[in-house]
Amino acid sequence: APGPSTNDRLHTFMGGESGPWKILSCNPVKGESLPAAGRLSVVQGAPPILSSESTWTLRGATSNERYVTREEKNQLVARQVALGRPEAKYAALIPIRKSAAWWAMTQDERRAVLEDRSHHIHTGLKYLPGVARRLHHCRDLAEQEPFDFLTFFDYPETEVTAFEDLVATLRATEEWKYVDREVDVRLVWD
Ligand code: HEM
């Protein structure tokens, strides 16, 4: 049987004047920021109309995991929750691009940086189930995209401080030396 179509896996993030998420802040962590926008909408699949009002559009597709071990996968599945809990009124869209040096490494070398030396998964697990996440890949889409990953998180107000700790911890790791563009967009549902 065919796998899920790219259209189901595709998610389109549009910054502009409309959408349920109000943009609280948009900070360039590394490299160029995104143009200023007031609101964000997230659409699964291709948007029915190409909204001319949107100031920027980013696309990514969910995919299979690349790095997790079976043991880590079991822990993730046991703890993770889906996006969209009613109490998860806060969110972050963090588009990330990694350098040529990252992509020149082999799979086992990247795993060594990401987990053995940066503990990305081990650290992230501590923030579940308060924070819900979805990772989108951009490099496999037909059109060339400005980022390699679109990371999206939602969480209740009680997790706002914890989320700051999480991003600060990850940004201090060896893995983040390979991040050459990162924008941090914070959102509230209102
Ligand atoms: C990848 C877990 C938070 C950015 C991953 C992967 C896991 C993971 C398991 C590897 C997926 C695979 O095997 O392909 C978590 C958990 C988090 C968390 C449990 C807790 C909420 C974050 C945050 C950011 C982030 C806050 C951004 C600031 C990324 C990126 C990748 C990734 C960019 C892709 C890395 C690559 O393939 O090179 N995360 N993460 N993660 N995560 Fe996280």
Side-chain angles (χ1 to χ4, degrees):
S5 76
T6 313
N7 205 50
D8 296 330
R9 293 167 38 209
L10 184 69
H11 295 264
T12 306
F13 296 81
M14 289 171 290
E17 317 256 275
S18 61
W21 293 104
K22 181 180 166 192
I23 298 179
L24 293 173
S25 61
C26 176
N27 293 316
V29 179
K30 185 114 190 250
E32 207 191 323
S33 193
L34 285 164
R39 306 195 69 89
L40 175 84
S41 56
V42 186
V43 179
Q44 185 170 10
I49 37 138
L50 249 186
S51 170
S52 53
E53 299 120 66
S54 72
T55 310
W56 48 260
T57 303
L58 299 173
R59 294 177 192 81
T62 56
S63 187
N64 56 287
E65 278 142 352
R66 269 66 165 172
Y67 301 109
V68 288
T69 62
R70 170 48 59 191
E71 175 57 29
E72 288 158 355
K73 171 98 178 174
N74 291 346
Q75 290 181 51
L76 286 161
V77 168
R79 296 185 65 96
Q80 70 198 5
V81 292
L83 296 176
R85 292 162 291 169
E87 68 273 23
K89 296 261 181 268
Y90 289 82
L93 168 65
I94 308 182
I96 285 176
R97 189 179 67 203
K98 283 183 170 176
S99 65
W102 174 263
W103 296 107
M105 286 193 285
T106 61
Q107 190 73 11
D108 59 319
E109 288 166 339
R110 288 194 292 261
R111 158 81 197 183
V113 174
L114 182 134
E115 190 56 25
D116 305 350
R117 302 210 290 277
S118 302
H119 316 293
H120 183 134
I121 300 165
H122 179 84
T123 299
L125 273 166
K126 293 192 258 181
Y127 294 84
L128 308 185
V131 178
R133 55 181 270 273
R134 197 169 64 214
L135 175 64
H136 312 78
H137 293 256
C138 315
R139 286 170 68 91
D140 300 336
L141 302 181
E143 303 290 318
Q144 200 183 318
E145 295 292 326
F147 295 94
D148 294 333
F149 308 98
L150 306 178
T151 67
F152 191 80
F153 309 88
D154 71 18
Y155 41 90
E157 189 167 16
T158 51
E159 302 299 317
V160 168
T161 309
F163 191 77
E164 295 307 327
D165 295 343
L166 169 59
V167 293
T169 302
L170 290 175
R171 286 176 184 147
T173 62
E174 182 179 340
E175 182 191 354
W176 249 253
K177 293 193 187 355
Y178 296 92
V179 171
D180 73 3
R181 188 177 176 197
E182 177 177 6
V183 183
D184 191 329
V185 184
R186 296 306 176 89
L187 308 150
V188 65
W189 184 273
D190 105 319

